[in-house]
Amino acid sequence: MGKIYIYDTLSGKKEMLAKPKGGPLRFFVCGPTVYDLSHIGHARTYLIFDAWVRFLRSQGINLTYLQNITDIDDKIIERAKVERKNPLKLATLMYKEYLKDMKSLGVESVDNYALASKYIKEIQGEISRLISKSFAYITKRGVYFEVSKFSDYGKLSKQNLNELRPGYRIEPDPDKKDPMDFAVWKFPKGELKNQVSGSGPILIEGEPVWAAPFGAGRPGWHIEDTAISEKNFGLTYELHGGGMDLKFPHHEAEIAQARALSGKKSFVKTWMHTGFLLVENTKMSKSLGNFIMIREFLKRYAPEVLRLLVLTQHYRSPLNYTDKLSWETKRSWESINEFLGRVELVKKKGGKSGKHLKAKVINLEKRFFDALADDFNTPKAIASIFLLIKEVQPKLWSLPRKEAEEIGKALKSVLGVLGFSLKLPVISAKATKFALDREKLRVNQQFIQADSLRKKINSLGFHLEDTPLGPFIWPKT
Ligand SMILES: [Zn+2]
């Protein structure tokens, strides 16, 4: 395989992807906070990383893909209070729903989903080390990471902390040394925390609480991910991904924690961030009620339509989702499938003479893989597929079988690299029979009878086209 370049948020440049000597390339992606069903914004991020991992693996890269699941968080606790549920049970339920959505979308590349609640021991271990190294301190409300002790805080998101500070006016803990300091552990309200023992958790006023050497409580969001990645990957690894909105403070905090623990100059080699998803030019928000849940989308369109919609936009650019765009993408996806259906007919019936198209297939593969190796340019890679279709289409019926086979194989293979699954539609036996009967009538110039059979085929949900290789039947859309 050739060299693969990817944009690193920290350096602000395209960098050659670091491949470790021996052992797999370690890839961590921030998973969802499971308090509700996932929407198409989540789908965008996880489809991009799924396609990215599939691409790397297609290039022979041995890779371990780890995704955390935030199942302990303020948002979950708040939602559970409203719904009068146990927050851990709500999170477990929503985690299962998330997995169902990912399965429907064909996201299959994740090796390990790690739930924060299963890493309490590791989280506490990191916090104890941070306290003993004087990177963290204890107040009445919790344990905080002291941001001023870490001089590189803000470098990933290119922020000046002195400019950020005034934004932190609402101060939940007056004992914090600096408003920017973030919680790694949160104590429950009241004095009940002193009574917690055992491995827990117990619920105190709707909050899950675990016993801990520095006081019973629950973890902050940022430390959950650092503990999960340290346990699975160690304190330095190759690749970290997440949505653009996680750069600050979440990923700054991850860097600060991991480097404070390791004492090293670097945490991960490459940071990948995916762009926002807008709906009709507006940010999805609760108050606007414009969330489109994944399963809602899938009621109207095939999962491949969302995958194509996401991948026809560069992963770092914002994506403006509109009804029109999903409709157009549906048509594009159908056109690829229909083309492959036609290729199948040529594979069976074969054209008489043929131009050698081998060069076009080689061109497709070169354009496709070069685009992906250059900062995962999926729009360009997908354009190479449509270009091939456009070039081959006019000569399709005259292709010899062997060439049709090669073209079909090449297209399926590149589409498979990005995670598209292709299934030829089932043409009913009845429609096929009508088409054969109609062909005989047509040859005998019995056009009225032939036309009535065409109408019958239409009424079965198919359209019929007379091609130089005989009738081509395809589902009506
Ligand atoms: Zn994270």
Side-chain angles (χ1 to χ4, degrees):
M1 54 145 294
K3 290 172 180 167
I4 295 169
Y5 289 86
I6 195 76
Y7 182 87
D8 169 36
T9 311
L10 188 58
S11 72
K13 287 184 298 204
K14 285 184 200 175
E15 308 270 8
M16 201 168 83
L17 188 72
K19 272 161 279 169
K21 288 181 202 104
L25 190 154
R26 293 160 294 182
F27 183 36
F28 181 90
V29 167
C30 290
T33 302
V34 281
Y35 67 101
D36 205 341
L37 295 174
S38 305
H39 52 65
I40 56 171
H42 299 116
R44 183 187 189 201
T45 300
Y46 303 121
L47 280 170
I48 287 168
F49 289 126
D50 181 63
W52 164 244
V53 168
R54 286 169 184 266
F55 162 61
L56 294 182
R57 286 182 177 148
S58 80
Q59 299 304 290
I61 295 176
N62 176 13
L63 180 148
T64 303
Y65 180 2
L66 170 67
Q67 199 181 105
N68 76 290
I69 300 289
T70 305
D71 63 344
I72 313 163
D73 186 72
D74 294 351
K75 279 183 191 158
I76 301 168
I77 292 165
E78 278 164 32
R79 180 63 67 91
K81 275 183 189 161
V82 172
E83 295 183 4
R84 295 168 184 272
K85 282 184 181 144
N86 176 318
L88 291 163
K89 283 189 181 150
L90 172 69
T92 307
L93 183 75
M94 286 307 158
Y95 165 54
K96 286 185 182 153
E97 296 304 319
Y98 170 69
L99 290 184
K100 275 188 213 163
D101 285 338
M102 290 301 111
K103 198 172 174 214
S104 327
L105 291 177
V107 171
E108 291 167 352
S109 53
V110 181
D111 295 297
N112 183 5
Y113 288 103
L115 292 121
S117 61
K118 303 264 188 271
Y119 286 78
I120 298 298
K121 197 180 86 194
E122 288 77 11
I123 292 167
Q124 292 188 352
E126 285 195 345
I127 295 170
S128 294
R129 277 143 67 207
L130 287 174
I131 294 170
S132 69
K133 287 179 161 220
S134 302
F135 277 101
Y137 60 91
I138 306 172
T139 74
K140 280 183 210 136
R141 312 259 179 117
V143 184
Y144 292 91
F145 187 95
E146 195 169 345
V147 166
S148 65
K149 295 258 171 89
F150 183 72
S151 59
D152 282 347
Y153 198 78
K155 271 205 174 156
L156 179 76
S157 51
K158 324 268 184 272
Q159 308 213 55
N160 180 324
L161 297 191
N162 291 326
E163 284 165 18
L164 270 170
R165 259 191 203 101
Y168 276 68
R169 263 169 304 196
I170 307 157
E171 192 41 69
D173 188 345
D175 297 331
K176 267 164 70 167
K177 293 186 186 172
D178 184 320
M180 301 289 292
D181 293 349
F182 56 85
V184 289
W185 192 254
K186 297 174 180 180
F187 299 143
K189 291 176 198 91
E191 293 305 311
L192 287 161
K193 67 172 192 279
N194 301 325
Q195 297 160 23
V196 182
S197 61
S199 57
I202 61 157
L203 282 187
I204 295 179
E205 289 179 32
E207 290 185 35
V209 172
W210 286 263
F214 33 80
R218 61 184 166 94
W221 171 32
H222 315 315
I223 197 84
E224 294 177 355
D225 292 15
T226 311
I228 288 169
S229 61
E230 185 187 5
K231 168 85 175 170
N232 289 279
F233 288 168
L235 283 171
T236 57
Y237 56 95
E238 290 75 33
L239 191 58
H240 191 316
M244 200 76 90
D245 52 328
L246 298 184
K247 272 195 280 187
F248 183 87
H250 185 54
H251 290 160
E252 296 287 4
E254 275 192 51
I255 295 172
Q257 292 165 158
R259 285 184 49 197
L261 290 166
S262 72
K264 290 188 175 152
K265 283 216 169 88
S266 134
F267 167 38
V268 295
K269 287 206 180 90
T270 311
W271 282 94
M272 266 179 95
H273 287 102
T274 56
F276 292 111
L277 182 133
L278 303 169
V279 172
E280 309 282 349
N281 278 312
T282 317
K283 198 173 186 291
M284 275 197 283
S285 79
K286 206 174 177 180
S287 56
L288 292 169
N290 61 350
F291 280 105
I292 299 172
M293 298 305 175
I294 291 170
R295 50 193 70 180
E296 253 172 76
F297 180 93
L298 293 179
K299 276 183 198 158
R300 296 174 62 198
Y301 303 103
E304 290 79 14
V305 174
L306 192 52
R307 190 175 281 262
L308 186 61
L309 191 152
V310 162
L311 297 178
T312 38
Q313 190 66 246
H314 193 266
Y315 76 93
R316 286 194 280 126
S317 309
L319 168 61
N320 183 28
Y321 174 91
T322 63
D323 253 353
K324 187 167 167 274
L325 180 64
S326 37
W327 179 250
E328 285 166 358
T329 311
K330 177 179 183 278
R331 300 303 298 263
S332 298
W333 177 243
E334 284 164 357
S335 75
I336 295 176
N337 278 274
E338 188 166 336
F339 177 78
L340 283 165
R342 286 164 192 266
V343 168
E344 284 302 310
L345 182 64
V346 184
K347 271 164 71 180
K348 276 191 208 119
K349 306 266 172 116
K352 289 177 193 77
S353 66
K355 285 230 165 88
H356 286 287
L357 289 174
K358 185 100 193 144
K360 294 215 184 326
V361 170
I362 293 168
N363 260 340
L364 162 76
E365 284 164 352
K366 187 174 172 357
R367 283 195 190 110
F368 181 85
F369 287 107
D370 283 355
L372 296 184
D374 180 16
D375 194 22
F376 200 47
N377 194 334
T378 53
K380 210 170 163 189
I382 288 167
S384 72
I385 293 173
F386 285 106
L387 182 67
L388 177 90
I389 293 176
K390 204 176 139 201
E391 285 174 341
V392 173
Q393 195 95 264
K395 305 156 195 152
L396 185 63
W397 304 123
S398 59
L399 286 188
R401 285 180 182 195
K402 185 105 186 66
E403 295 209 343
E405 213 177 293
E406 271 174 35
I407 285 168
K409 213 172 103 189
L411 277 177
K412 280 180 203 162
S413 146
V414 293
L415 285 162
V417 165
L418 292 176
F420 291 98
S421 70
L422 289 151
K423 285 184 286 295
L424 280 175
V426 179
I427 313 288
S428 78
K430 221 171 174 182
T432 312
K433 168 98 176 34
F434 285 156
L436 290 172
D437 293 347
R438 178 186 163 274
E439 196 57 15
K440 281 177 207 153
L441 295 167
R442 209 173 62 92
V443 173
N444 293 329
Q445 305 206 326
Q446 291 169 279
F447 296 120
I448 295 169
Q449 292 92 325
D451 212 46
S452 103
L453 278 181
R454 175 200 284 275
K455 279 179 190 140
K456 280 189 181 168
I457 292 167
N458 290 157
S459 69
L460 289 171
F462 300 93
H463 69 76
L464 182 140
E465 181 188 326
D466 288 309
T467 80
L469 299 180
F472 173 68
I473 321 168
W474 198 251
K476 283 198 276 190
T477 50

